[in-house]
Amino acid sequence: AVVSTQSTGKEKWCSGNVTKTNLIVEDKLAKGLKVDLEVVVNSGTGKKPALAKTAYKTDGFNGTFDTNIDLAGPTLVATAVTEYNGIQGGAEVGFDTEKSSVFV
């Protein structure tokens, strides 16, 4: 695998035989955009859940879009917070593809 110099890789082990690996790209695709791919491997159970997380920040706006990468059906979650003249407003919406349901 080739990892460019524009990304950061992190790996953590814990006492429960769980490995957590992150590949992070920040401010390279667009100013204020952070993309984080996280893979967790549990050698005891064999499970390998993965998450894709994005965040975008500018003056007066903060948004995220996260998903678990699950073959059974990912769950998508988006958030947005904005500010104008000291007044803040925000929203969160999610979609569970396995159940075909929206949640707020």
Side-chain angles (χ1 to χ4, degrees), residues 4-8 24-35 55-56:
S4 75
T5 59
Q6 298 180 349
S7 61
T8 303
I24 302 164
V25 178
E26 189 168 3
D27 290 330
K28 301 298 181 187
L29 302 172
K31 185 177 179 191
L33 179 65
K34 179 180 180 180
V35 179
Y56 182 68

Side-chain angles (χ1 to χ4, degrees), residues 18-90:
V18 176
T19 304
K20 179 179 174 182
T21 305
N22 291 75
L23 178 63
I24 302 164
V25 178
E26 189 168 3
D27 290 330
K28 301 298 181 187
L29 302 172
K31 185 177 179 191
L33 179 65
K34 179 180 180 180
V35 179
D36 182 356
L37 176 62
E38 176 181 292
V39 178
V40 179
V41 177
N42 186 333
S43 62
T45 65
K47 293 184 179 180
K48 300 174 190 168
L51 302 170
K53 301 182 271 187
T54 60
Y56 182 68
K57 296 179 184 178
T58 63
D59 291 339
F61 178 79
N62 185 357
T64 65
F65 180 76
D66 303 334
T67 183
N68 65 337
I69 302 170
D70 185 352
L71 296 178
T75 301
L76 313 169
V77 179
T79 65
V81 177
T82 189
E83 182 268 334
Y84 182 74
N85 287 338
I87 300 172
Q88 295 182 348

